[in-house]
Amino acid sequence: MNTATTKASDLFVQALEAEGVEYIFAVPGEENLDMLESLRTSNIKLILNRHEQGAAFMAATYGRLTGKAGVCMATLGPGATNFATPAAYAQLGGMPLVMLTGQKPIKKSKQGQFQIIDIVSLFRPICKMTKQIVHGNTIPALVREAFRTALEERPGAVLLELPEDIAEEETDAHVLQPNPRRYAIAGDEVLDEAAALILAAKMPLVLIGAGANRKHARSALRDFVRSTGIPFFVTQMGKGVLDERAPLYMGTAALSDGDYLHCAINRADLIINIGHDVVEKPPFFMEEGGKQVIHVNYKSAQVDEVYFPQVEVIGDLAASVARLKQKVGGKVDFDGSYFERVRQEVETHMLEGADDPRHPIIPQRLVADTRKVMQRKDIIALDNGIYKLWYARNYKAYYSNTVLLDNALASMGAGLPSAMLAAMIYPERRVMAICGDGGFMMNSQELETAVRLGLNLVVTVLNDSAYGMIRWKQKSAGFGDWGLEFGNPDFVQYANSHGATGHLVAATDDLIPTFEKAFEAGGVHLVEVPVDYSENQKVLIDELAAKVCLI
């Protein structure tokens, strides 16, 4: 009896199609040629990047924005090792990512150890799962398990290695179709316990973290806050789950301690911590005998010396919040007058410097002008630098996943690829990458990819000719100003050489008109903005150290 067979790479692509994969972001090598040929006739779109980091950052951001696993592909050796930083970015940031890498033949060596390193073992500490495929018949199960693992809470990175001799062999295996997963719902006993703590609290606060952004718990959280009347604050990666123009919004915990917002956090006797985990910098610190904490999340808390919640509500996030609202039964009776005074104090300080005309521009004015040109669902994607703290503190997010920043791995080089992905899947929205000159140059070659893809994208490059955040830390620590300055290209010409359009903001009042001109023209635009970071020390160190919390 003859059994029909399928080429293993064809079966692999069929399995990807069954998982609903739309794009593969890739820098292929010769070990991926069978996969490339199989992709050529598939429904999956290949996005050719200029560096493996750019490909994997885009794939991770796809996972972050869609809730589906993003997929990227590279060859063996140096191509695969370039996935290491984005793998850690996805793993710490809770972004579902499936990485596909090639390998030399494993049944018979043709080139000794040329380019061969143990990628599967190398990636094991920074991934949820790493596997080498050693037979075509195992492809369906391994692909299904890879996607299931990447997507399961907490989401993260997985890696599958497909050697070229396995890719070209014949197999009689068949694709496994994915099945929908449902998360358990927290039980009545723990919900009753949490509700009792809320009803007994004299000064409760709600904290919203990245997990609420991941699973789109916006509606349930909005109803809970409105019903109970409890003020809320957010972590950096929790921005936008609730509209931050709301009267109950207290601010963003961009700093671990000592900000104006922390006056309210420190006074609170109960924090309802929804969707946060300890990967992000602590938005507050716990002490024995201090405030109580209710941990609401898909998984139990990772306890450490500053986070040991007394009650853990584990299960589907939106369902837990909705049922907790029912258990509480309406508005909570507490005195919110102190929180309101702190909220007004925070608002006042966040507005300082918003119309400052100095040039080079100061961060407060930069953030304020950015907010003025971006509408409710428009997206900013931040690279990593000191400006990220200013945007986290001062930029109000109006909608989920409209402020894309990384407060987990905090890797430089991710801002441009993340913005490119957002522009790809949301062509109707304005999208802006905001990068320091250091982070931008780490993956600036992806400008060509953005132009080739026909994206509408504004890339703002903040130019201070230095690794500004580390330079500020260096000064704050009392060390000499040394070793952190560099030279930059002419960014306008650099953009033009890639087929984009470059702009230099020569006066601060020109920033908004330049942004508007770029968005209205369409295509890829780079806006170079000279920036003055002298406000870092004044506002983030000196003023906060001198502040006195309201009585």
Side-chain angles (χ1 to χ4, degrees), residues 177-189:
Q177 296 298 324
N179 296 310
R181 292 181 59 84
R182 299 287 185 268
Y183 287 96
I185 298 175
D188 285 326
E189 184 176 348

Side-chain angles (χ1 to χ4, degrees), residues 85-157:
T85 297
Y89 170 83
Q91 184 76 350
L92 289 186
M95 307 173 199
L97 172 68
V98 174
M99 298 172 289
L100 314 176
T101 58
Q103 188 53 274
K104 295 294 183 184
I106 57 174
K107 296 178 179 179
K108 185 177 181 180
S109 175
K110 298 179 181 177
Q111 295 176 295
Q113 294 299 306
F114 176 66
Q115 287 194 312
I116 296 178
I117 57 174
D118 187 350
I119 291 294
V120 172
S121 296
L122 176 68
F123 275 75
R124 190 167 289 126
I126 55 174
C127 288
K128 296 179 74 177
M129 165 186 165
T130 62
K131 290 286 186 180
Q132 182 186 70
I133 299 172
V134 297
H135 196 288
N137 287 351
T138 66
I139 286 173
L142 285 175
V143 171
R144 179 78 282 274
E145 179 64 5
F147 278 81
R148 187 198 65 79
T149 301
L151 289 163
E152 188 176 46
E153 284 288 337
R154 273 182 92 250

Side-chain angles (χ1 to χ4, degrees), residues 35-51:
M35 278 291 292
L36 271 182
E37 179 62 18
S38 297
L39 285 168
R40 184 175 63 84
T41 55
S42 79
N43 297 321
I44 299 171
K45 184 175 181 180
L46 180 75
I47 305 297
L48 187 66
N49 288 89
R50 302 304 299 267
H51 193 283

Side-chain angles (χ1 to χ4, degrees), residues 401-422:
N401 284 318
T402 56
V403 177
L404 304 182
L405 56 78
D406 169 21
N407 194 36
L409 183 67
S411 170
M412 297 171 73
L416 174 59
S418 294
M420 290 166 55
L421 187 283

Side-chain angles (χ1 to χ4, degrees), residues 254-314:
L255 305 176
S256 295
D257 200 11
D259 208 344
Y260 300 101
L261 168 64
H262 289 92
C263 292
I265 296 172
N266 294 338
R267 187 73 68 90
D269 62 351
L270 175 68
I271 292 181
I272 308 159
N273 191 3
I274 301 172
H276 175 62
D277 60 52
V278 296
V279 169
E280 274 203 270
K281 286 184 177 181
F284 64 90
F285 297 98
M286 293 182 67
E287 296 178 359
E288 287 290 348
K291 64 175 61 61
Q292 293 185 300
V293 174
I294 300 171
H295 173 91
V296 184
N297 217 323
Y298 292 91
K299 295 185 71 175
S300 57
Q302 182 180 336
V303 173
D304 61 20
E305 60 271 19
V306 298
Y307 189 65
F308 40 90
Q310 289 84 4
V311 176
E312 299 189 38
V313 180
I314 308 304

Side-chain angles (χ1 to χ4, degrees), residues 318-380:
S320 292
V321 172
R323 295 198 68 210
L324 194 54
K325 173 199 161 190
Q326 293 173 350
K327 296 282 187 179
V328 171
K331 187 168 178 59
V332 176
D333 183 18
F334 68 96
D335 183 0
S337 58
Y338 180 77
F339 290 156
E340 176 58 23
R341 293 200 303 275
V342 173
R343 188 190 70 81
Q344 292 177 5
E345 184 86 354
V346 171
E347 287 281 318
T348 298
H349 285 285
M350 294 307 105
L351 291 173
E352 291 174 355
D355 56 359
D356 193 301
R358 276 180 284 174
H359 188 80
I361 197 168
I362 65 170
Q364 301 96 308
R365 175 68 184 270
L366 172 70
V367 174
D369 282 7
T370 306
R371 181 66 275 181
K372 289 174 183 175
V373 301
M374 306 300 278
Q375 301 302 311
R376 178 171 176 260
K377 292 188 178 183
D378 294 342
I379 295 171
I380 61 170

